[in-house]
Amino acid sequence: NGSIVFISSLAGNVIASKGNSAYCASKSAISGIVKVLALEQASRRIRVNCILPGMVKTEMMGSFLSSLTPEQLGEDEKKYPLGYGKPQDVANAAIYLLSDASMWMTGASLVLDGGFSLQ
């Protein structure tokens, strides 16, 4: 038994945005390979899944978020009913996918976006 977890993005998988084609294409490619690998590794009892996070407050996002005015930041975060995510939120999803609790889950893309894609 084993588990492989990829981290992709909502971009290109659930949502699209102008001027973001290369990023969206690369993230969509990850979701595609997850499905193929899930089929190829199933006979070895290796599960392959993917996490699709929305906006997560990380150091990498710091420069982008700091370029917004406090008003712009507040308006953007309102798009997420549960607010922006934290790295720990993504880590917890990965823990689930790596654990035996997800033993019957493979080839899936888990949307993790604090409700953003519901709007």
Side-chain angles (χ1 to χ4, degrees):
N1 293 337
S3 181
I4 299 170
V5 177
F6 286 84
I7 307 292
S8 183
S9 174
L10 287 180
N13 291 288
V14 179
I15 61 168
S17 58
K18 290 181 181 178
N20 214 10
S21 60
Y23 182 80
C24 289
S26 67
K27 297 304 180 179
S28 294
I30 292 171
S31 294
I33 200 167
V34 162
K35 292 176 183 181
V36 173
L37 287 174
L39 289 173
E40 291 176 350
Q41 298 303 315
S43 64
R44 298 175 63 199
R45 305 294 299 164
I46 297 173
R47 297 169 286 119
V48 184
N49 293 291
C50 187
I51 299 171
L52 306 178
M55 181 70 79
V56 176
K57 286 186 178 180
T58 63
E59 286 185 32
M60 183 178 88
M61 292 306 299
S63 61
F64 166 71
L65 295 175
S66 67
S67 73
L68 301 176
T69 67
E71 294 79 23
Q72 291 171 318
L73 184 61
E75 285 302 308
D76 190 64
E77 191 164 5
K78 284 181 187 175
K79 297 175 187 175
Y80 292 78
L82 298 178
Y84 290 153
K86 300 180 295 286
Q88 188 63 39
D89 297 322
V90 178
N92 287 337
I95 289 167
Y96 166 71
L97 292 173
L98 292 167
S99 77
D100 289 347
S102 65
M103 195 59 92
W104 203 49
M105 186 174 183
T106 194
S109 290
L110 180 63
V111 173
L112 188 64
D113 68 356
F116 174 84
S117 59
L118 299 174
Q119 302 189 32

